[in-house]
Amino acid sequence: MDRENKRRIYLDNGATTRTDPRVVEAMLPYMTAEYGNASSLHSFGVKARDAMEKARATIANAIHAKPSEIIFTSGGTESDNLAILGFVSANKGRGNHIITTRFEHPAVLNTCKHLESEGFRVTYLPVTREGIVGLEELEMAITDRTVLVSIMHANNEIGSIQPLDRIADVCKSKSRGICLHSDAVQSFTKLPIDVSKTRVDMLSMSAHKIHGPKGVGALYLREGVKINRLVFGGHHERDLRPGTENIAGIVGFAKAVELMNRTEIASMTKLRDMLIRGIMEGVSDVVLNGSQSERLCNNVNISFKYVEGESLLLSLDAEGIAVSTGSACSSRSLEPSHVLLSIGLRPEMAHGSLRFTLSRFTTEEEIDHVLEVLPRVVKRLRDISPLKGG
Amino acid sequence: MYSKRVIEAFTNPHNVGVLEDADGIGEVGNPVCGDIMKMYIKVRDGRIVDIKFQTFGCAAAIATSSMITDLAKGKTLEEAEKITRNDVAESLDGLPPIKMHCSNLAADALHKAIEDYRKKQTEKRLVKSLDKNI
């Protein structure tokens, strides 16, 4: 069958999203007409700089920060690296202990592992079955050598939301003043974040998860928090992130932030619950991974007993449905998802997981179609499997 | 990532299921690594006359299972024993490097099934000769 002409349903918005046409439209002039370098003094440069500063204010406003507290980067991974490596580099001597969790994104996890090889001590906090970090465990892990805590706002695989407010309170209580970083790549604009109330010091954000372009992100850096640059060059972004700014990308990022609204979050939540309910009712032997209540509006993660995730993924792909899996087979390692193992899933259940992530473009009709196709696909693979009934 | 042939064999695998009266059964893999294969063979006059499989695993695991049943059907046990992992991969126009190791277990499952068959035959002969002597 001609695959190109087949209807395609994209439910992998946790990986990346379709750039909103309105975002593309907002970006275009900054490639074709106002293509100046924001550091230049002439009118081209001024236009570029003005657009960038307007975008900075939009993004700052979305989290109740000051524009001067926003540093543009190339995306979530760079923001995480700049936050963690930049902070420990600027705060040497204050301590060498970092606390994070077992189910962070690799951009945080591997940065922390790198620091371990440099002599830092890192505590990887466990999470509950629902994928929530425990405040008591955090409290207990803190020592007088702890300088930095990095805990994601919402998990990228299972969508579980962390109590960022209370985590911040623990970090700041007893006049500890431990710096708190949070990877908010999945939650930004989907969950309210108010840095004037939540005492988080650094937040990583990314554009392409919210219908913005790839290759642009930001780090919120609270006034007074010292970090060092990771790369050397000119005086861009308060000397912290040298390199000619990606103006079109930055403008697109801000446009994407402007476009996010409560109505579509409510609509995604409704479709998410429809999908969860439909799978639970339509397919036997399934388990919802993550929390029921503390869950991102667009995340569904389910393990299917007796079948393997890559087989499921490819079978759905053959039907035009794009999802992702925590199975080892779709990664380049032989290990199943560290996130699913961290919530206590047995490896065979982690191998059989699928993640469906919705977006503003997901329709009820699409969810209906998935619910029609999925039971058939699961049944076919279960009929091949020796585990079913064995 | 996968060749057309792998996708074909994964989408429409041959010889899926159980042989209730199998003469030999071979099982390899474990659920922890994400692949389990069970191979059933029926043998007549030293030849594999029927073969079926059950597999829990990725597309490569299912495709290689299907392919080896095609390769082994009708072969003598000696011929079937000579089928290697590489033969299976080549018949599928190759596998991604990482799958060569973890999901290319079908040859092992077949060899185990033949081993199981031979063991059972030896046991049968032993029982027979014991009966005679009594």
Side-chain angles (χ1 to χ4, degrees), chain A residues 308 310-311 332 351 380 384, chain B residues 2 10 32 55 57 59 98-99:
Chain A
E308 192 277 333
E310 191 215 71
S311 292
R332 277 178 203 129
H351 283 299
R380 180 183 93 85
I384 303 177
Chain B
Y2 284 126
F10 164 66
V32 175
T55 292
I98 193 154
K99 302 286 184 183

Side-chain angles (χ1 to χ4, degrees), chain B residues 13-76:
Chain B
H14 302 161
N15 306 305
V16 174
V18 180
L19 286 178
E20 296 296 349
D21 54 348
D23 297 317
I25 301 174
E27 188 174 335
V28 292
N30 66 69
V32 175
C33 68
D35 282 311
I36 300 175
M37 285 177 198
K38 224 168 163 177
M39 204 64 65
Y40 304 82
I41 54 169
K42 189 93 200 129
V43 181
R44 281 290 168 275
D45 305 326
R47 223 171 255 285
I48 297 175
V49 291
D50 203 1
I51 179 165
K52 282 203 176 347
F53 80 90
Q54 289 181 300
T55 292
F56 161 83
C58 63
I62 291 170
T64 53
S65 304
S66 169
M67 183 47 76
I68 203 140
T69 60
D70 285 344
L71 291 175
K73 211 172 198 171
K75 293 249 167 41
T76 66

Side-chain angles (χ1 to χ4, degrees), chain A residues 3-213:
Chain A
R3 229 157 132 172
E4 299 308 308
N5 291 330
K6 218 164 154 183
R7 164 187 190 180
R8 296 198 304 165
I9 296 177
Y10 186 76
L11 290 177
D12 198 14
N13 291 282
T16 194
T17 57
R18 169 184 167 196
T19 312
D20 193 296
R22 294 165 289 182
V23 168
V24 177
E25 199 186 331
M27 289 171 72
L28 281 175
Y30 294 95
M31 289 184 261
T32 51
E34 304 302 342
Y35 47 79
N37 185 321
S39 300
S40 300
L41 293 178
H42 45 62
S43 70
F44 291 84
V46 170
K47 285 268 191 187
R49 194 155 59 247
D50 284 352
M52 178 169 76
E53 292 316 319
K54 195 170 155 253
R56 197 187 305 279
T58 302
I59 289 156
N61 191 42
I63 58 170
H64 304 270
K66 295 177 191 163
S68 60
E69 294 173 314
I70 300 296
I71 299 161
F72 287 115
T73 66
S74 64
T77 294
E78 191 194 336
S79 295
D80 286 341
N81 273 265
L82 179 59
I84 296 168
L85 297 176
F87 181 83
V88 298
S89 154
N91 293 274
K92 277 182 193 144
R94 281 181 56 191
N96 68 341
H97 181 224
I98 299 165
I99 299 172
T100 184
T101 73
R102 288 183 194 166
F103 77 160
E104 292 299 313
H105 187 276
V108 168
L109 224 41
N110 289 334
T111 304
C112 288
K113 279 185 190 150
H114 165 71
L115 284 173
E116 276 187 290
S117 75
E118 304 264 292
F120 281 83
R121 271 195 50 234
V122 180
T123 302
Y124 300 90
L125 294 175
V127 295
T128 64
R129 183 92 212 174
E130 303 221 303
I132 314 276
V133 70
L135 297 174
E136 272 171 37
E137 278 88 351
L138 171 62
E139 180 76 53
M140 271 160 54
I142 291 172
T143 73
D144 52 6
R145 302 288 291 157
T146 309
V147 286
L148 177 67
V149 171
S150 179
I151 295 177
M152 68 199 330
H153 191 200
N155 184 270
N156 49 309
E157 289 185 33
I158 55 173
S160 56
I161 300 164
Q162 308 307 308
L164 201 55
D165 276 318
R166 284 177 289 151
I167 288 167
D169 289 345
V170 172
C171 292
K172 306 298 173 188
S173 70
K174 303 172 190 164
S175 59
R176 276 171 182 151
I178 298 167
C179 180
L180 174 62
H181 164 251
S182 184
D183 179 327
V185 165
Q186 293 289 338
S187 63
F188 179 52
T189 69
K190 295 190 190 83
L191 291 174
I193 302 173
D194 183 346
V195 298
S196 73
K197 294 199 179 96
T198 305
R199 291 185 283 174
V200 61
D201 299 294
M202 299 188 278
L203 271 182
S204 301
M205 296 165 271
S206 172
H208 76 102
K209 308 287 190 190
I210 56 168
H211 303 292

